[in-house]
Amino acid sequence: MRAAHRAAPALGAYLAVRGTSLLVLAVWAPRRHQDLWVNLAAQWDSDWYLGIAEHGYTDELGTDLNANNLAFFPLYPVLVKAVAVLTPGSRASTGLGVAVAASLVAAWGIFAVGDRLYGRRAGVLLTTLWAAFPVGVVQWMGYTESLFTACAAWSLYAVLSGRWLWAAACAVLAGLTRPTGVAVAAAVTLTALAHVVRRREPHPRLLAAALLAPLGWCGYVGWVGLRLGRWDGYFAVQRLWHNDLDGGLRTLHQLRWLLWSEPTPPLFLVMVTLTLIASVVLFGLSVSDRQPLPLLVFTGVLLVIVLGSGGVYFPRARFLLPAFPLLLPLALHLSRASARHRALALAAAGLTSAYCGAYMLLVWPAAP
């Protein structure tokens, strides 16, 4: 109860930012002749997860592009199916409810990390900035970003507080939620091994955490291989979705096209590009601030995966949504600013996020 009371201002600020975004969507959607409920709960990736919850996974690789549901990790659809048995309404409403509940757990975990490192004010500001992420609307959609961020945040908090088995357990859950769960596993495993080297003794809990953390991601990848009858089954699926790594060539090509070749680039792609550039800058500031090793490993691996992907460009701002430690330099700067400066900055961030989220859902013609 004490922990919940301490986190209350952060959760209140989070709800205020996301509530404002939802209000903008509710006002704008009818004017665009769109069904807000469908956009939030049953479109794009949401539809894939609901299909898995309803019918399970395919057992064939196939040759069709962007059509194999084995690319989607299982924890979220399993939760949707399990909770739907206990709740009224459709699976779409259940999925949206799971995502919203997970977003609150994620916000609490983000606050806990910021509070532990730099105090309560920094924790509240970090949570508010995460809520005001340019594509923060995804936090309240039938997507996996909120669930993944919750697992990642509490895993990192457990590492920072020395709860190694809890850290590994949350890393396993993260690895069952999204492909980028490998970043959480890397943060736990490398930090645990660094502690072993520093202590010069193989502490059982440290070694157990280092070994257990990757099991979620490795387990699903291995299961896909067994299901398809080939060792590289999961990676073959990803190739059908054009999600193989190319060392960043696709990213550089898109950046060059948007910044130098295209005279009138789409607004949403400009926002994605600015988010990617800002993330790289913020990672540099995080290194300069000497953030703890698990945070740097997590965000560093996540950036390598997102920037090094040869897949589609437009969802990459969403893929970086769980990288909340990148916002710590901004939170620290605002914590030292005047109250007026903080209020203006947070209000601007919240309103910008509300507009970007509504534009992404209601105007941008492709998936978020």
Side-chain angles (χ1 to χ4, degrees):
M1 292 299 296
R2 285 196 300 269
H5 181 267
R6 187 170 180 82
L11 296 177
Y14 176 79
L15 289 172
V17 174
R18 297 279 22 103
T20 300
S21 178
L22 187 62
L23 179 61
V24 171
L25 278 170
V27 172
W28 199 350
R31 300 184 180 187
R32 297 285 304 179
H33 305 289
Q34 295 194 36
D35 189 326
L36 178 58
W37 176 256
V38 172
N39 283 347
L40 292 176
Q43 200 172 39
W44 307 114
D45 284 13
S46 302
D47 191 43
W48 281 100
Y49 287 116
L50 293 174
I52 294 169
E54 183 73 27
H55 306 293
Y57 284 104
T58 183
D59 56 4
E60 296 180 354
L61 178 61
T63 56
D64 293 339
L65 300 178
N66 305 328
N68 193 307
N69 65 4
L70 287 167
F72 298 88
F73 277 54
L75 183 59
Y76 177 70
V78 166
L79 284 177
V80 171
K81 186 172 184 176
V83 175
V85 175
L86 307 174
T87 56
S90 65
R91 278 205 168 99
S93 62
T94 300
L96 186 57
V98 168
V100 172
S103 76
L104 294 173
V105 177
W108 193 348
I110 290 168
F111 166 78
V113 171
D115 181 30
R116 181 171 185 86
L117 290 176
Y118 302 111
R120 191 181 193 186
R121 177 182 290 179
V124 172
L125 291 169
L126 180 63
T127 307
T128 308
L129 289 171
W130 183 69
F133 204 81
V135 292
V137 67
V138 175
Q139 296 164 16
W140 282 10
M141 292 177 62
Y143 276 49
T144 57
E145 273 71 19
S146 289
L147 180 61
F148 178 71
T149 306
C151 296
W154 285 108
S155 181
L156 294 173
Y157 175 77
V159 171
L160 295 174
S161 56
R163 297 174 173 88
W164 291 101
L165 295 183
W166 279 107
C170 290
V172 169
L173 294 177
L176 291 171
T177 306
R178 289 192 60 78
T180 46
V182 68
V184 185
V188 175
T189 296
L190 292 179
T191 307
L193 293 178
H195 276 70
V196 170
V197 171
R198 192 176 301 124
R199 292 185 176 189
R200 297 183 180 179
E201 59 179 87
H203 192 281
R205 290 194 178 186
L206 291 172
L207 292 178
L211 293 173
L212 291 173
L215 290 186
W217 187 88
C218 292
Y220 180 69
V221 170
W223 178 81
V224 172
L226 291 174
R227 190 171 182 85
L228 296 179
R230 50 186 294 178
W231 70 270
D232 66 337
Y234 172 76
F235 303 100
V237 170
Q238 289 294 347
R239 284 193 291 272
L240 289 176
W241 283 86
H242 304 291
N243 281 336
D244 50 331
L245 295 175
D246 68 353
L249 294 178
R250 169 79 172 173
T251 304
L252 292 174
H253 173 76
Q254 287 290 328
L255 288 174
R256 184 175 60 185
W257 175 72
L258 286 166
L259 297 178
W260 286 283
S261 302
E262 175 58 37
T264 56
L267 177 61
F268 180 66
L269 295 185
V270 172
M271 185 271 289
V272 171
T273 300
L274 293 177
T275 301
L276 295 181
I277 294 172
S279 296
V280 173
V281 173
L282 288 172
F283 181 74
L285 292 176
S286 300
V287 173
S288 178
D289 288 344
R290 297 184 178 180
Q291 280 186 15
L293 178 63
L295 303 189
L296 292 177
V297 172
F298 171 61
T299 53
V301 173
L302 199 58
L303 278 171
V304 168
I305 294 172
V306 173
L307 297 178
S309 171
V312 290
Y313 184 76
F314 53 81
R316 299 196 190 193
R318 170 168 65 88
F319 295 162
L320 285 175
L321 182 60
F324 69 90
L326 293 176
L327 300 171
L328 271 169
L330 295 179
L332 287 174
H333 173 75
L334 288 177
S335 69
R336 302 179 186 120
S338 66
R340 181 173 178 271
H341 183 188
R342 278 198 304 274
L344 289 174
L346 293 177
L351 292 174
T352 301
S353 175
Y355 175 79
C356 289
Y359 184 92
M360 177 179 69
L361 279 186
L362 304 176
V363 180
W364 174 248

